[in-house]
Amino acid sequence: MAQFTSVGENFLFTTLRVTTHTADGKTGVGTAFLYSIESDGRTAIFAVTNKHVVAKAATGDLLFTLKDGSGQPDVTRKYALTVADFEGIWRGHPDP
């Protein structure tokens, strides 16, 4: 397996593909990135995207890249997480 060591290469594996589906059958595609924060010995992981990516989405799929046995990203293995009420699970920042 290839070793991914540069900052640019590692960004590839903190980025998710987002596919959305509206109630009227339209499909959209965007991206999100993973962000983590540690507090009181616990880690919280968030997916961050733009509002227009999730707007009007009834369902959505998040596509993750899995790792190999050595902990490196395995670009041949993916995991898809399908989520209902997709627009409703996201928390937007307040508009200025």
Side-chain angles (χ1 to χ4, degrees), residues 7-73:
V7 172
E9 288 171 328
N10 281 293
F11 274 127
L12 292 172
F13 306 106
T14 58
T15 304
L16 308 175
R17 179 184 167 125
V18 179
T19 304
T20 59
H21 311 279
T22 62
D24 62 358
K26 294 180 182 167
T27 299
V29 177
T31 58
F33 66 89
L34 297 175
Y35 175 79
S36 67
I37 186 167
E38 292 187 29
S39 178
D40 297 325
R42 298 171 61 188
T43 301
I45 301 173
F46 301 90
V48 179
T49 191
N50 289 302
K51 288 181 181 182
H52 72 271
V53 173
V54 299
K56 300 181 183 176
T59 62
D61 303 311
L62 300 173
L63 189 65
F64 296 82
T65 299
L66 299 177
K67 63 182 178 179
D68 64 18
S70 68
Q72 289 290 310

Side-chain angles (χ1 to χ4, degrees), residues 72-85:
Q72 289 290 310
D74 183 346
V75 296
T76 66
R77 296 178 51 229
K78 306 288 183 181
Y79 176 79
L81 175 65
T82 300
V83 180
D85 185 26

